[in-house]
């Protein structure tokens, strides 16, 4: 066995291994397969680079993003390794040269995108040489249960085993799969798809010891004020505030900018502006970044002191990634999450929008089945009696899951029956993720431990963190009850015992004592956190929709009600019974990125729709995909109605992100220019 430490020092210039690197490197260097799940920044790349070098020969690296590839290649080259990459951004002759270098055994590392393996002749070319090692970076992309599923990754399962050799009696090439975000379910999926079942999994390092997590139930309207208060402590900045929507980032930023140097970051702003804001945040010129989750990937700022979630995140994996951006320097940091039952309702509403009712998909499917010959989209739609927005949403999902095939000109053909199962599983999985997030928010055990367990970190100490609002309620800006409040809480507990099984809403409305709804929720959540009450979610079906509500049940016996020991409420909760206070919401500012619809004579709009559709069809034909995947009808209509004249205006159109603009922006403006000149 080669000694790895000298290689680490001389070739990579590091003095020592970071936690867990050595055991992974040893396992892979000796030819074992491995799955490695460690948080971003833990140093996963070394875990394929070092064993690859130790094994001598070429290490093949599969990576999903050109930018990631370029970055890694450049780092390896600067260390003196021969590293190359083949991706869509490079021309044919360069790629050919790289292949020749590979065949001459001149490369230490070859980076490719997964879709390269579908190019005829390419896997055969790779198979001509024995690889030292294969590394699959961002391996969670292979699983449809991961939060960043990429269909191109799916073919790795079929192709990689063929490249491993080992049939001729030689040892097989090892595979190492790496990711920062994989729940146990995604881990199992990665292992089975890559044929690695039975190999070693290293799941490590999810515990962060310097982040104090606090979760507070707070109504939407009170959050801006609360965040202002949190950040007014100088030690809590720099900070990143995550808001749920672009509009909310603008509104929050408007509320904060009197006091702090604030930047806004979301996908609706153009790339230039985003880059400038990001640089200003990195340099410290901006101290509070208000952003959607579009912000943060690959950002390396060590001294972020606070990460705030101004709304309930969609997944626990996403939440963990985002709070992980706090305290990279190891100094004490905070993660604050504000949420309310209304957030959860909003998430469910969004879920229903992105997963239309099964019945609607079924209606389209059986209509197409009954017609028996391929027909244009409008013809099919008329027969389903769905309105065009519902129809488009349902059709797209049906298409994704194979229930129909759609030509570039949007003629619809029958697909396969299997869509139903797949669709239900996916939708169910998303709902499960929402539930996990909700369980976390309502949780009554150590927050950090909850996260560590969620990721399946089995070797973790299992100790409570001592920092979060559950472990250390006294530091979490909570206060004990005042005497009037104690009386109210006792009465509420008694009432809950009496009305067990009723909805929380009804308890509040009909039960005694009469307290304001907000205060009632504060009490209820304090009772739940201290383990005196369990709040459960129930659903019932009404008109084909499932409606959820909460019920409460008292735990323990009545004798314990007297003391109310450990029942703490947020110090921001108003104390004395209040007079009517105006519920000040965050100002509804229309920031610089907000799209201002311009009214355009409908004649121009009509001409623009025709021109855009024509362009869209030719684009769809060229790429052999349905027209709606190029641009949806709704976005197309909005573009025609607002007639943007430059890329910035185009990017501000709802539904056009920077990616779409980069891909089609120039073309779309060209199509529009004759209309604009009219
Ligand atoms: P990950 O892929 O896990 O997010 P990277 O592999 O990109 O993390 O590594 C993060 C940073 O840590 C890089 O800048 C890398 O150079 C550095 N690093 C990795 N291993 C070591 C080590 N043993 N000693 C010092 N720095 C290291
Ligand atoms: Mg990485």
């Amino acid at each position: 066995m080669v000694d790895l430490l000298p290689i680490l020092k001389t070739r990579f210039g590091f003095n020592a291994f970071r936690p867990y690197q050595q055991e992974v490197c040893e396992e892979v260097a000796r030819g074992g397969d491995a799955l490695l799940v460690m948080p971003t920044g833990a140093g996963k790349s070394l875990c394929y680079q070092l064993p690859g070098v130790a094994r001598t020969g070429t290490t093949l690296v599969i990576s999903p993003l050109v930018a990631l590839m370029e970055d890694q290649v450049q780092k390896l080259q600067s260390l003196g390794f021969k590293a190359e990459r083949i991706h869509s951004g490079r021309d044919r002759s360069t790629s050919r040269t790289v292949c020749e270098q590979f065949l001459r055994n001149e490369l230490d590392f070859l980076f490719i995108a997964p879709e390269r393996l579908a190019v005829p002749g390419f896997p055969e070319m790779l198979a001509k040489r024995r690889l030292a090692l294969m590394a699959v970076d961002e391996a969670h992309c292979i699983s449809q249960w991961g939060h960043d599923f990429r269909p191109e990754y799916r073919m790795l399962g079929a192709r990689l085993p063929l490249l491993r050799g080992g049939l001729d009696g030689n040892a097989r090439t090892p595979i190492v799969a790496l990711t920062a975000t994989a729940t146990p379910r995604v881990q199992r999926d990665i292992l089975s798809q890559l044929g690695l079942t039975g190999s070693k999994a290293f799941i490590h390092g999810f515990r962060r010891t310097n982040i104090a997590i606090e979760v507070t139930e707070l109504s939407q309207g009170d959050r801006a004020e609360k965040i202002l208060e949190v950040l007014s402590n100088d030690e809590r900045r720099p900070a990143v505030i995550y808001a749920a929507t672009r509009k909310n980032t603008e509104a929050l930023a408007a509320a904060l900018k009197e006091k702090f140097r604030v930047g806004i970051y979301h996908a609706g702003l153009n790339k230039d502006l985003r880059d400038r804001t990001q640089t200003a945040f990195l340099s410290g010129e901006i101290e509070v970044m208000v952003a959607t989750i579009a912000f943060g990937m690959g950002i390396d700022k060590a001294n972020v002191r606070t990460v705030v979630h101004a709304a309930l995140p969609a997944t626990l994996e996403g939440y963990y990634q985002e709070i992980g951006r706090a305290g990279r320097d190891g100094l004490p940091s905070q993660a604050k999450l504000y949420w309310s039952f209304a957030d959860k309702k909003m998430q469910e509403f969004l879920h229903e929008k992105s997963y239309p009712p099964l019945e609607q998909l079924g209606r389209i499917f059986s209509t197409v089945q009954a017609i028996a010959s391929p027909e244009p989209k409008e013809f099919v739609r008329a027969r389903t009696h769905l309105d065009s927005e519902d129809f488009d949403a349902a059709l797209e999902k049906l298409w994704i899951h194979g229930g129909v095939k759609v030509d570039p000109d949007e003629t619809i053909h029958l697909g396969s029956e299997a869509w139903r199962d797949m669709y239900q599983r996916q939708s169910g999985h998303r709902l499960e993720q929402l539930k996990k997030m909700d369980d976390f928010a309502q949780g009554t055990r150590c927050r950090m431990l909850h996260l560590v367990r969620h990721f399946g970190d089995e070797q973790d100490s299992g100790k409570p963190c001592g920092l979060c609002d559950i472990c250390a309620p006294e530091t979490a800006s909570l206060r004990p009850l005042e005497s009037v409040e104690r009386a109210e809480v006792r009465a509420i507990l008694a009432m809950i015992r009496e009305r067990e099984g009723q909805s929380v809403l009804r308890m509040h409305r009909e039960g005694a004592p009469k307290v304001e709804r907000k205060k009632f929720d504060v009490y209820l959540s304090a009772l739940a956190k201290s383990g005196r009450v369990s709040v459960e979610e129930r659903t019932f079906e009404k008109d084909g929709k499932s409606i959820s509500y909460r019920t409460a049940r008292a735990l323990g016996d009545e004798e314990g009600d007297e003391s109310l020991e450990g029942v703490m409420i947020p110090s921001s909760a108003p104390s004395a019974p209040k007079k009517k206070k105006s519920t000040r919401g965050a100002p509804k500012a229309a920031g610089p990125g907000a799209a201002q619809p311009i009214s355009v004579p409908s004649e121009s709009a009509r001409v623009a729709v025709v021109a855009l559709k024509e362009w869209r069809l030719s684009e769809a034909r060229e790429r052999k995909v349905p027209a709606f995947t190029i641009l949806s009808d709704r976005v197309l209509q909005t573009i025609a109605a607002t007639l943007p004249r430059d890329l910035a205006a185009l990017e501000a159109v709802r539904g056009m992100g920077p990616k779409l603009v980069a891909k089609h922006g120039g073309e779309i403006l060209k199509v529009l220019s004759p209309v604009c000149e009219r």
Side-chain angles (χ1 to χ4, degrees):
M1 174 90 202
V2 212
D3 191 1
L4 299 179
L5 197 58
I7 308 182
L8 179 76
K9 291 185 174 169
T10 57
R11 310 280 321 257
F12 290 90
F14 295 138
N15 287 324
F17 283 107
R18 284 203 180 152
Y20 311 112
Q21 282 180 330
Q22 186 165 7
E23 48 175 306
V24 183
C25 287
E26 280 172 359
E27 172 69 17
V28 178
R30 87 163 68 91
D33 297 327
L35 167 65
L36 174 57
V37 188
M38 291 206 295
T40 307
K44 290 186 290 298
S45 319
L46 187 86
C47 298
Y48 69 80
Q49 293 170 349
L50 180 59
V53 171
R55 289 175 62 80
T56 67
T58 308
T59 295
L60 180 73
V61 187
I62 321 281
S63 178
L65 288 179
V66 171
L68 286 179
M69 242 187 259
E70 288 291 332
D71 183 52
Q72 290 290 344
V73 166
Q74 194 253 319
K75 275 191 184 152
L76 286 166
Q77 287 177 344
S78 70
L79 288 170
F81 293 107
K82 279 235 174 320
E84 270 303 344
R85 69 285 190 202
I86 298 181
H87 56 66
S88 55
R90 314 200 82 200
D91 64 42
R92 225 172 255 252
S93 76
T94 316
S95 301
R96 195 170 320 121
T97 312
V98 172
C99 290
E100 283 158 11
Q101 288 174 312
F102 169 77
L103 290 173
R104 285 200 302 269
N105 237 349
E106 290 172 4
L107 298 180
D108 299 315
F109 296 95
L110 175 59
F111 286 73
I112 61 167
E115 53 268 27
R116 200 44 53 172
L117 292 173
V119 174
F122 192 81
E124 291 77 3
M125 191 279 304
L126 287 178
K128 286 189 182 152
R129 292 240 77 88
R130 275 198 56 91
L131 296 162
L133 172 66
M134 287 189 270
V136 180
D137 205 2
E138 311 294 340
H140 61 281
C141 297
I142 206 171
S143 172
Q144 60 173 325
W145 312 123
H147 67 104
D148 200 12
F149 171 57
R150 288 172 189 254
E152 317 87 75
Y153 259 69
R154 214 168 5 197
M155 76 182 123
L156 295 182
R159 307 279 161 138
L160 291 194
L162 299 176
L163 297 176
R164 306 189 71 176
L167 299 174
D168 49 1
N170 288 323
R172 296 202 305 174
T173 301
I175 294 182
V176 54
L178 315 108
T179 172
T181 134
T183 57
R185 180 177 197 175
V186 174
Q187 291 163 21
R188 283 195 297 275
D189 208 12
I190 296 171
L191 290 171
S192 80
Q193 288 204 47
L194 292 178
L196 304 182
T197 34
S199 63
K200 276 207 156 170
F202 300 86
I203 322 293
H204 288 308
F206 281 93
R207 174 179 290 264
R208 292 284 306 269
T209 52
N210 63 326
I211 303 182
I213 301 175
E214 183 183 327
V215 181
T216 311
E217 206 168 333
L218 193 66
S219 73
Q220 177 83 41
D222 293 338
R223 293 178 200 169
E225 206 170 319
K226 179 74 191 168
I227 293 169
L228 206 63
E229 177 200 314
V230 166
L231 297 184
S232 60
N233 179 340
D234 290 346
E235 281 163 19
R236 303 244 170 98
R237 307 188 304 270
V240 180
I241 320 286
Y242 284 106
T245 63
R246 298 176 186 185
K247 224 170 90 191
N248 290 359
T249 61
E250 315 251 348
L252 260 176
L256 298 174
K257 77 169 179 238
E258 294 271 299
K259 286 250 184 99
F260 314 112
R261 285 166 282 135
V262 175
I264 301 178
Y265 192 105
H266 60 65
L269 302 173
N270 73 47
K271 180 158 173 13
D272 255 12
L273 183 56
R274 275 182 292 144
D275 288 350
R276 264 185 285 130
T277 313
Q278 183 172 315
T279 313
F281 183 62
L282 293 179
S283 73
E285 203 182 308
I286 284 175
E287 49 179 354
V288 177
M289 185 68 116
V290 190
T292 61
I293 55 170
F295 176 74
M297 180 78 105
I299 302 270
D300 210 359
K301 183 173 171 72
N303 65 339
V304 173
R305 293 276 69 88
T306 308
V307 171
V308 175
H309 283 81
L312 196 67
T315 69
L316 211 44
E317 294 90 86
Y319 172 71
Y320 178 82
Q321 291 271 318
E322 284 139 22
I323 66 165
R325 291 174 187 136
R328 290 272 172 86
D329 55 10
L331 298 175
S333 309
Q334 322 256 339
K336 309 228 176 239
L337 165 57
Y338 302 111
W339 76 289
S340 69
F341 191 58
D343 288 49
K344 177 148 191 264
K345 286 283 179 202
M346 176 51 84
Q347 296 280 12
E348 283 168 5
F349 169 76
L350 293 175
H351 176 80
E352 271 167 30
K353 274 186 73 159
S354 46
Y355 289 90
L358 189 71
E359 183 272 327
Q360 293 185 352
L361 276 73
R363 213 186 309 173
I364 301 179
F365 185 75
S366 47
T367 304
V368 176
Q369 214 167 20
I371 302 173
S373 67
E375 292 290 350
K377 181 174 131 183
E378 272 315 305
F379 181 85
V380 177
R381 185 181 80 74
R383 302 206 155 197
T384 59
H385 304 290
L386 288 168
D387 78 28
S388 70
E389 205 167 295
D390 287 350
F391 181 83
D392 284 0
L395 178 69
E396 183 168 352
K397 285 289 178 196
L398 192 59
W399 173 72
I400 288 173
H401 292 96
V404 291
K405 298 187 198 94
V406 186
D407 290 342
D409 66 3
E410 304 195 316
T411 303
I412 300 178
H413 307 250
L414 191 65
S416 113
E417 222 9 296
W419 67 270
R420 204 179 289 271
D421 238 27
M422 278 178 3
Y423 182 70
Q424 269 176 311
R425 270 206 318 211
Q426 252 267 295
S427 167
H429 175 64
R430 271 297 301 137
L431 280 176
E432 209 176 287
Q433 284 182 314
L434 291 182
K435 172 144 183 2
K436 292 228 164 97
M437 191 66 234
D438 187 52
D439 288 347
F440 175 79
Q442 304 210 31
T444 51
R445 60 183 169 134
C446 170
R447 307 283 183 190
M448 188 52 79
L449 202 53
H450 191 139
L451 291 171
V452 165
R453 291 273 153 79
H454 177 71
F455 286 101
D457 193 340
E458 300 288 348
Q459 286 177 18
D460 182 85
S461 65
K463 291 204 187 88
C465 75
L467 297 173
C468 69
D469 59 324
I470 306 283
C471 292
E474 68 285 355
T475 61
S477 44
L478 296 176
R479 64 170 173 82
L481 299 169
E482 293 168 3
S483 66
V484 182
E485 292 169 334
R486 301 171 75 79
E488 286 177 340
V489 171
R490 276 193 206 109
I492 288 175
L493 255 179
M495 184 263 285
I496 290 175
R497 286 191 196 285
E498 202 176 299
R499 293 174 174 262
E500 179 173 331
Q502 287 187 359
S503 80
V504 167
L505 203 71
R506 184 153 167 218
M507 287 182 182
H508 173 253
R509 204 171 44 216
E510 296 172 8
K514 296 287 167 221
V515 299
E516 217 184 290
R517 177 64 206 259
K518 253 190 221 167
K519 194 78 186 259
F520 186 80
D521 281 344
V522 165
Y523 288 154
L524 197 60
S525 131
L527 284 169
K529 268 192 194 174
S530 69
R532 277 161 210 275
V533 161
S534 113
V535 178
E536 276 155 41
E537 187 115 342
R538 301 267 165 79
T539 53
F540 65 92
E541 301 285 322
K542 190 179 168 199
D543 304 333
K545 275 195 164 179
S546 65
I547 296 184
S548 55
Y549 65 100
R550 294 187 299 170
T551 67
R553 189 160 54 86
L555 305 171
D557 51 28
E558 284 167 57
E559 272 132 60
D561 292 2
E562 198 49 37
S563 74
L564 293 181
E565 203 185 299
V567 179
M568 308 272 278
I569 61 175
S571 33
S572 59
S575 36
K578 310 171 310 162
K579 286 174 247 92
K580 192 125 184 83
K581 177 187 149 203
S582 71
T583 39
R584 237 181 318 146
K588 290 193 185 67
Q596 296 294 341
I598 311 154
S599 75
V600 176
S602 59
E603 169 62 12
S604 310
R606 254 198 322 268
V607 177
V609 167
V610 173
L612 284 169
K613 282 199 168 162
E614 211 169 90
W615 162 80
R616 182 175 73 167
L617 179 58
S618 72
E619 201 69 16
R621 288 210 165 111
E622 195 168 303
R623 290 162 200 255
K624 302 196 174 60
V625 294
F628 62 73
T629 65
I630 305 285
L631 204 61
S632 76
D633 279 355
R634 181 133 52 106
V635 177
L636 187 146
Q637 306 277 6
T638 318
I639 295 174
T642 52
L643 291 185
R645 280 158 197 266
D646 53 35
L647 290 176
L650 184 62
E651 203 167 305
V653 169
R654 218 190 134 93
M656 275 305 290
K659 260 197 206 146
L660 263 180
V661 172
K663 209 162 171 188
H664 301 302
E667 291 282 311
I668 293 176
L669 292 181
K670 227 189 288 167
V671 173
L672 292 178
S673 72
V675 190
C676 290
E677 278 154 24
R678 281 155 63 103

